[in-house]
PDB file of all heavy atoms in Angstrom:
ATOM      1  N   ASP A 114      14.300  17.663  -0.243  1.00  0.00           N
ATOM      2  CA  ASP A 114      13.904  18.922  -0.805  1.00  0.00           C
ATOM      3  C   ASP A 114      12.475  18.983  -1.055  1.00  0.00           C
ATOM      4  O   ASP A 114      11.777  17.986  -1.148  1.00  0.00           O
ATOM      5  CB  ASP A 114      14.645  19.064  -2.133  1.00  0.00           C
ATOM      6  CG  ASP A 114      16.195  19.270  -2.026  1.00  0.00           C
ATOM      7  OD1 ASP A 114      16.625  19.880  -1.055  1.00  0.00           O
ATOM      8  OD2 ASP A 114      16.887  18.662  -2.961  1.00  0.00           O
ATOM      9  N   ARG A 115      11.863  20.223  -1.067  1.00  0.00           N
ATOM     10  CA  ARG A 115      10.422  20.383  -1.240  1.00  0.00           C
ATOM     11  C   ARG A 115       9.604  19.511  -0.267  1.00  0.00           C
ATOM     12  O   ARG A 115       8.934  18.626  -0.683  1.00  0.00           O
ATOM     13  CB  ARG A 115      10.086  20.061  -2.757  1.00  0.00           C
ATOM     14  CG  ARG A 115      10.805  20.861  -3.697  1.00  0.00           C
ATOM     15  CD  ARG A 115      10.498  20.503  -5.166  1.00  0.00           C
ATOM     16  NE  ARG A 115      11.189  21.353  -6.039  1.00  0.00           N
ATOM     17  CZ  ARG A 115      11.156  21.170  -7.465  1.00  0.00           C
ATOM     18  NH1 ARG A 115      10.415  20.228  -7.880  1.00  0.00           N
ATOM     19  NH2 ARG A 115      11.736  22.005  -8.201  1.00  0.00           N
ATOM     20  N   ALA A 116       9.843  19.817   0.965  1.00  0.00           N
ATOM     21  CA  ALA A 116       9.251  18.994   2.056  1.00  0.00           C
ATOM     22  C   ALA A 116       7.732  18.881   1.926  1.00  0.00           C
ATOM     23  O   ALA A 116       7.169  17.801   2.141  1.00  0.00           O
ATOM     24  CB  ALA A 116       9.620  19.486   3.387  1.00  0.00           C
ATOM     25  N   ARG A 117       7.113  19.941   1.501  1.00  0.00           N
ATOM     26  CA  ARG A 117       5.636  19.882   1.418  1.00  0.00           C
ATOM     27  C   ARG A 117       5.136  18.864   0.408  1.00  0.00           C
ATOM     28  O   ARG A 117       4.240  18.156   0.639  1.00  0.00           O
ATOM     29  CB  ARG A 117       5.135  21.291   1.084  1.00  0.00           C
ATOM     30  CG  ARG A 117       3.609  21.400   1.026  1.00  0.00           C
ATOM     31  CD  ARG A 117       3.104  22.776   0.820  1.00  0.00           C
ATOM     32  NE  ARG A 117       3.392  23.582   1.966  1.00  0.00           N
ATOM     33  CZ  ARG A 117       2.513  23.642   2.992  1.00  0.00           C
ATOM     34  NH1 ARG A 117       1.464  22.893   3.087  1.00  0.00           N
ATOM     35  NH2 ARG A 117       2.809  24.406   4.023  1.00  0.00           N
ATOM     36  N   ARG A 118       5.841  18.820  -0.724  1.00  0.00           N
ATOM     37  CA  ARG A 118       5.535  17.788  -1.695  1.00  0.00           C
ATOM     38  C   ARG A 118       5.677  16.357  -1.188  1.00  0.00           C
ATOM     39  O   ARG A 118       4.959  15.468  -1.470  1.00  0.00           O
ATOM     40  CB  ARG A 118       6.270  17.949  -2.952  1.00  0.00           C
ATOM     41  CG  ARG A 118       6.019  17.053  -4.094  1.00  0.00           C
ATOM     42  CD  ARG A 118       6.748  17.467  -5.384  1.00  0.00           C
ATOM     43  NE  ARG A 118       6.319  18.727  -5.898  1.00  0.00           N
ATOM     44  CZ  ARG A 118       6.757  19.289  -6.983  1.00  0.00           C
ATOM     45  NH1 ARG A 118       7.715  18.713  -7.661  1.00  0.00           N
ATOM     46  NH2 ARG A 118       6.345  20.502  -7.380  1.00  0.00           N
ATOM     47  N   VAL A 119       6.822  16.183  -0.489  1.00  0.00           N
ATOM     48  CA  VAL A 119       7.061  14.848   0.121  1.00  0.00           C
ATOM     49  C   VAL A 119       6.020  14.493   1.123  1.00  0.00           C
ATOM     50  O   VAL A 119       5.523  13.301   1.137  1.00  0.00           O
ATOM     51  CB  VAL A 119       8.421  14.816   0.794  1.00  0.00           C
ATOM     52  CG1 VAL A 119       8.674  13.448   1.460  1.00  0.00           C
ATOM     53  CG2 VAL A 119       9.550  15.017  -0.206  1.00  0.00           C
ATOM     54  N   ILE A 120       5.514  15.376   1.952  1.00  0.00           N
ATOM     55  CA  ILE A 120       4.493  15.142   2.912  1.00  0.00           C
ATOM     56  C   ILE A 120       3.206  14.665   2.168  1.00  0.00           C
ATOM     57  O   ILE A 120       2.578  13.787   2.556  1.00  0.00           O
ATOM     58  CB  ILE A 120       4.231  16.427   3.731  1.00  0.00           C
ATOM     59  CG1 ILE A 120       5.440  16.730   4.752  1.00  0.00           C
ATOM     60  CG2 ILE A 120       2.938  16.232   4.578  1.00  0.00           C
ATOM     61  CD1 ILE A 120       5.227  17.940   5.483  1.00  0.00           C
ATOM     62  N   VAL A 121       2.890  15.401   1.085  1.00  0.00           N
ATOM     63  CA  VAL A 121       1.724  15.097   0.300  1.00  0.00           C
ATOM     64  C   VAL A 121       1.726  13.637  -0.229  1.00  0.00           C
ATOM     65  O   VAL A 121       0.759  12.860  -0.171  1.00  0.00           O
ATOM     66  CB  VAL A 121       1.458  16.135  -0.770  1.00  0.00           C
ATOM     67  CG1 VAL A 121       0.338  15.589  -1.775  1.00  0.00           C
ATOM     68  CG2 VAL A 121       1.168  17.506  -0.276  1.00  0.00           C
ATOM     69  N   VAL A 122       2.956  13.266  -0.807  1.00  0.00           N
ATOM     70  CA  VAL A 122       2.977  11.893  -1.313  1.00  0.00           C
ATOM     71  C   VAL A 122       2.915  10.885  -0.197  1.00  0.00           C
ATOM     72  O   VAL A 122       2.289   9.803  -0.328  1.00  0.00           O
ATOM     73  CB  VAL A 122       4.312  11.768  -2.105  1.00  0.00           C
ATOM     74  CG1 VAL A 122       4.558  10.287  -2.511  1.00  0.00           C
ATOM     75  CG2 VAL A 122       4.347  12.710  -3.361  1.00  0.00           C
ATOM     76  N   LEU A 123       3.639  11.150   0.909  1.00  0.00           N
ATOM     77  CA  LEU A 123       3.546  10.172   2.069  1.00  0.00           C
ATOM     78  C   LEU A 123       2.073  10.146   2.546  1.00  0.00           C
ATOM     79  O   LEU A 123       1.634   8.961   2.937  1.00  0.00           O
ATOM     80  CB  LEU A 123       4.505  10.624   3.169  1.00  0.00           C
ATOM     81  CG  LEU A 123       6.009  10.530   2.839  1.00  0.00           C
ATOM     82  CD1 LEU A 123       6.817  11.185   3.951  1.00  0.00           C
ATOM     83  CD2 LEU A 123       6.415   9.066   2.712  1.00  0.00           C
ATOM     84  N   ASP A 124       1.488  11.240   2.718  1.00  0.00           N
ATOM     85  CA  ASP A 124       0.083  11.290   3.158  1.00  0.00           C
ATOM     86  C   ASP A 124      -0.821  10.467   2.179  1.00  0.00           C
ATOM     87  O   ASP A 124      -1.741   9.742   2.683  1.00  0.00           O
ATOM     88  CB  ASP A 124      -0.399  12.719   3.277  1.00  0.00           C
ATOM     89  CG  ASP A 124      -1.676  12.797   4.041  1.00  0.00           C
ATOM     90  OD1 ASP A 124      -1.773  12.236   5.165  1.00  0.00           O
ATOM     91  OD2 ASP A 124      -2.647  13.465   3.511  1.00  0.00           O
ATOM     92  N   ALA A 125      -0.558  10.574   0.904  1.00  0.00           N
ATOM     93  CA  ALA A 125      -1.414   9.801  -0.065  1.00  0.00           C
ATOM     94  C   ALA A 125      -1.193   8.309   0.158  1.00  0.00           C
ATOM     95  O   ALA A 125      -2.197   7.516   0.105  1.00  0.00           O
ATOM     96  CB  ALA A 125      -1.106  10.220  -1.463  1.00  0.00           C
ATOM     97  N   GLY A 126      -0.022   7.884   0.380  1.00  0.00           N
ATOM     98  CA  GLY A 126       0.270   6.489   0.693  1.00  0.00           C
ATOM     99  C   GLY A 126      -0.412   5.987   1.924  1.00  0.00           C
ATOM    100  O   GLY A 126      -0.957   5.002   1.981  1.00  0.00           O
ATOM    101  N   ALA A 127      -0.385   6.791   2.986  1.00  0.00           N
ATOM    102  CA  ALA A 127      -1.025   6.378   4.318  1.00  0.00           C
ATOM    103  C   ALA A 127      -2.518   6.447   4.102  1.00  0.00           C
ATOM    104  O   ALA A 127      -3.208   5.491   4.566  1.00  0.00           O
ATOM    105  CB  ALA A 127      -0.673   7.412   5.376  1.00  0.00           C
ATOM    106  N   LEU A 128      -3.070   7.343   3.331  1.00  0.00           N
ATOM    107  CA  LEU A 128      -4.472   7.465   3.125  1.00  0.00           C
ATOM    108  C   LEU A 128      -4.985   6.181   2.355  1.00  0.00           C
ATOM    109  O   LEU A 128      -5.964   5.538   2.806  1.00  0.00           O
ATOM    110  CB  LEU A 128      -4.865   8.628   2.232  1.00  0.00           C
ATOM    111  CG  LEU A 128      -6.298   8.793   1.718  1.00  0.00           C
ATOM    112  CD1 LEU A 128      -7.248   9.124   2.850  1.00  0.00           C
ATOM    113  CD2 LEU A 128      -6.402   9.784   0.604  1.00  0.00           C
ATOM    114  N   ALA A 129      -4.258   5.721   1.439  1.00  0.00           N
ATOM    115  CA  ALA A 129      -4.597   4.503   0.623  1.00  0.00           C
ATOM    116  C   ALA A 129      -4.546   3.274   1.483  1.00  0.00           C
ATOM    117  O   ALA A 129      -5.461   2.405   1.459  1.00  0.00           O
ATOM    118  CB  ALA A 129      -3.635   4.367  -0.562  1.00  0.00           C
ATOM    119  N   LEU A 130      -3.440   3.088   2.215  1.00  0.00           N
ATOM    120  CA  LEU A 130      -3.338   1.877   3.066  1.00  0.00           C
ATOM    121  C   LEU A 130      -4.350   1.760   4.162  1.00  0.00           C
ATOM    122  O   LEU A 130      -4.973   0.778   4.323  1.00  0.00           O
ATOM    123  CB  LEU A 130      -1.913   1.889   3.636  1.00  0.00           C
ATOM    124  CG  LEU A 130      -0.743   1.572   2.633  1.00  0.00           C
ATOM    125  CD1 LEU A 130       0.554   2.081   3.221  1.00  0.00           C
ATOM    126  CD2 LEU A 130      -0.671   0.119   2.287  1.00  0.00           C
ATOM    127  N   PHE A 131      -4.526   2.938   4.865  1.00  0.00           N
ATOM    128  CA  PHE A 131      -5.429   2.891   5.983  1.00  0.00           C
ATOM    129  C   PHE A 131      -6.934   2.776   5.547  1.00  0.00           C
ATOM    130  O   PHE A 131      -7.697   2.172   6.313  1.00  0.00           O
ATOM    131  CB  PHE A 131      -5.198   4.140   6.790  1.00  0.00           C
ATOM    132  CG  PHE A 131      -4.051   4.165   7.651  1.00  0.00           C
ATOM    133  CD1 PHE A 131      -3.259   5.278   7.907  1.00  0.00           C
ATOM    134  CD2 PHE A 131      -3.615   3.011   8.370  1.00  0.00           C
ATOM    135  CE1 PHE A 131      -2.112   5.255   8.653  1.00  0.00           C
ATOM    136  CE2 PHE A 131      -2.540   2.974   9.192  1.00  0.00           C
ATOM    137  CZ  PHE A 131      -1.773   4.101   9.347  1.00  0.00           C
ATOM    138  N   SER A 132      -7.271   3.336   4.356  1.00  0.00           N
ATOM    139  CA  SER A 132      -8.624   3.268   3.905  1.00  0.00           C
ATOM    140  C   SER A 132      -8.989   1.739   3.748  1.00  0.00           C
ATOM    141  O   SER A 132     -10.100   1.327   4.089  1.00  0.00           O
ATOM    142  CB  SER A 132      -8.793   3.985   2.615  1.00  0.00           C
ATOM    143  OG  SER A 132      -8.611   5.388   2.822  1.00  0.00           O
ATOM    144  N   VAL A 133      -8.133   0.986   3.194  1.00  0.00           N
ATOM    145  CA  VAL A 133      -8.353  -0.458   2.929  1.00  0.00           C
ATOM    146  C   VAL A 133      -8.311  -1.220   4.244  1.00  0.00           C
ATOM    147  O   VAL A 133      -9.221  -2.007   4.536  1.00  0.00           O
ATOM    148  CB  VAL A 133      -7.321  -0.952   1.945  1.00  0.00           C
ATOM    149  CG1 VAL A 133      -7.546  -2.470   1.794  1.00  0.00           C
ATOM    150  CG2 VAL A 133      -7.518  -0.324   0.521  1.00  0.00           C
ATOM    151  N   VAL A 134      -7.249  -0.984   5.004  1.00  0.00           N
ATOM    152  CA  VAL A 134      -7.056  -1.764   6.288  1.00  0.00           C
ATOM    153  C   VAL A 134      -8.200  -1.437   7.181  1.00  0.00           C
ATOM    154  O   VAL A 134      -8.743  -2.332   7.900  1.00  0.00           O
ATOM    155  CB  VAL A 134      -5.747  -1.411   6.923  1.00  0.00           C
ATOM    156  CG1 VAL A 134      -5.619  -1.942   8.354  1.00  0.00           C
ATOM    157  CG2 VAL A 134      -4.611  -1.978   5.992  1.00  0.00           C
ATOM    158  N   GLY A 135      -8.628  -0.218   7.346  1.00  0.00           N
ATOM    159  CA  GLY A 135      -9.730   0.162   8.323  1.00  0.00           C
ATOM    160  C   GLY A 135     -10.980  -0.501   7.891  1.00  0.00           C
ATOM    161  O   GLY A 135     -11.774  -0.967   8.712  1.00  0.00           O
ATOM    162  N   THR A 136     -11.266  -0.531   6.542  1.00  0.00           N
ATOM    163  CA  THR A 136     -12.504  -1.270   6.089  1.00  0.00           C
ATOM    164  C   THR A 136     -12.459  -2.709   6.447  1.00  0.00           C
ATOM    165  O   THR A 136     -13.477  -3.315   6.870  1.00  0.00           O
ATOM    166  CB  THR A 136     -12.704  -0.992   4.612  1.00  0.00           C
ATOM    167  OG1 THR A 136     -12.626   0.423   4.268  1.00  0.00           O
ATOM    168  CG2 THR A 136     -13.945  -1.625   4.060  1.00  0.00           C
ATOM    169  N   LEU A 137     -11.312  -3.333   6.195  1.00  0.00           N
ATOM    170  CA  LEU A 137     -11.190  -4.782   6.489  1.00  0.00           C
ATOM    171  C   LEU A 137     -11.375  -5.135   7.934  1.00  0.00           C
ATOM    172  O   LEU A 137     -12.070  -6.050   8.258  1.00  0.00           O
ATOM    173  CB  LEU A 137      -9.817  -5.255   6.050  1.00  0.00           C
ATOM    174  CG  LEU A 137      -9.481  -5.389   4.529  1.00  0.00           C
ATOM    175  CD1 LEU A 137      -8.053  -5.628   4.286  1.00  0.00           C
ATOM    176  CD2 LEU A 137     -10.367  -6.446   3.920  1.00  0.00           C
ATOM    177  N   LYS A 138     -10.917  -4.253   8.760  1.00  0.00           N
ATOM    178  CA  LYS A 138     -10.997  -4.559  10.214  1.00  0.00           C
ATOM    179  C   LYS A 138     -12.524  -4.414  10.594  1.00  0.00           C
ATOM    180  O   LYS A 138     -12.997  -5.252  11.388  1.00  0.00           O
ATOM    181  CB  LYS A 138     -10.204  -3.558  11.037  1.00  0.00           C
ATOM    182  CG  LYS A 138     -10.158  -3.927  12.488  1.00  0.00           C
ATOM    183  CD  LYS A 138      -9.075  -3.252  13.326  1.00  0.00           C
ATOM    184  CE  LYS A 138      -9.045  -3.788  14.749  1.00  0.00           C
ATOM    185  NZ  LYS A 138      -7.977  -3.149  15.569  1.00  0.00           N
ATOM    186  N   GLY A 139     -13.176  -3.467  10.046  1.00  0.00           N
ATOM    187  CA  GLY A 139     -14.644  -3.303  10.433  1.00  0.00           C
ATOM    188  C   GLY A 139     -15.390  -4.491   9.935  1.00  0.00           C
ATOM    189  O   GLY A 139     -16.267  -5.079  10.678  1.00  0.00           O
ATOM    190  N   LEU A 140     -15.101  -5.025   8.729  1.00  0.00           N
ATOM    191  CA  LEU A 140     -15.746  -6.188   8.185  1.00  0.00           C
ATOM    192  C   LEU A 140     -15.489  -7.429   9.022  1.00  0.00           C
ATOM    193  O   LEU A 140     -16.359  -8.208   9.259  1.00  0.00           O
ATOM    194  CB  LEU A 140     -15.363  -6.386   6.707  1.00  0.00           C
ATOM    195  CG  LEU A 140     -15.846  -5.332   5.756  1.00  0.00           C
ATOM    196  CD1 LEU A 140     -15.101  -5.458   4.381  1.00  0.00           C
ATOM    197  CD2 LEU A 140     -17.315  -5.492   5.481  1.00  0.00           C
ATOM    198  N   GLU A 141     -14.195  -7.539   9.378  1.00  0.00           N
ATOM    199  CA  GLU A 141     -13.864  -8.743  10.198  1.00  0.00           C
ATOM    200  C   GLU A 141     -14.511  -8.813  11.497  1.00  0.00           C
ATOM    201  O   GLU A 141     -14.878  -9.887  12.036  1.00  0.00           O
ATOM    202  CB  GLU A 141     -12.271  -8.760  10.419  1.00  0.00           C
ATOM    203  CG  GLU A 141     -11.583  -9.090   9.142  1.00  0.00           C
ATOM    204  CD  GLU A 141     -10.028  -8.980   9.379  1.00  0.00           C
ATOM    205  OE1 GLU A 141      -9.703  -8.414  10.397  1.00  0.00           O
ATOM    206  OE2 GLU A 141      -9.269  -9.448   8.505  1.00  0.00           O
ATOM    207  N   LEU A 142     -14.744  -7.674  12.116  1.00  0.00           N
ATOM    208  CA  LEU A 142     -15.500  -7.569  13.387  1.00  0.00           C
ATOM    209  C   LEU A 142     -17.036  -7.542  13.227  1.00  0.00           C
ATOM    210  O   LEU A 142     -17.746  -7.368  14.263  1.00  0.00           O
ATOM    211  CB  LEU A 142     -15.045  -6.404  14.169  1.00  0.00           C
ATOM    212  CG  LEU A 142     -13.565  -6.420  14.654  1.00  0.00           C
ATOM    213  CD1 LEU A 142     -13.169  -5.139  15.370  1.00  0.00           C
ATOM    214  CD2 LEU A 142     -13.219  -7.623  15.459  1.00  0.00           C
ATOM    215  N   GLY A 143     -17.469  -7.696  12.029  1.00  0.00           N
ATOM    216  CA  GLY A 143     -18.932  -7.826  11.832  1.00  0.00           C
ATOM    217  C   GLY A 143     -19.641  -6.501  11.881  1.00  0.00           C
ATOM    218  O   GLY A 143     -20.849  -6.445  12.211  1.00  0.00           O
TER     219      GLY A 143
END
Side-chain angles (χ1 to χ4, degrees):
D114 295 322
R115 299 177 180 177
R117 182 173 292 276
R118 182 172 298 180
V119 175
I120 291 175
V121 168
V122 173
L123 291 173
D124 189 52
L128 175 72
L130 289 162
F131 284 138
S132 298
V133 172
V134 171
T136 305
L137 285 174
K138 186 164 185 179
L140 290 166
E141 287 176 347
L142 293 179

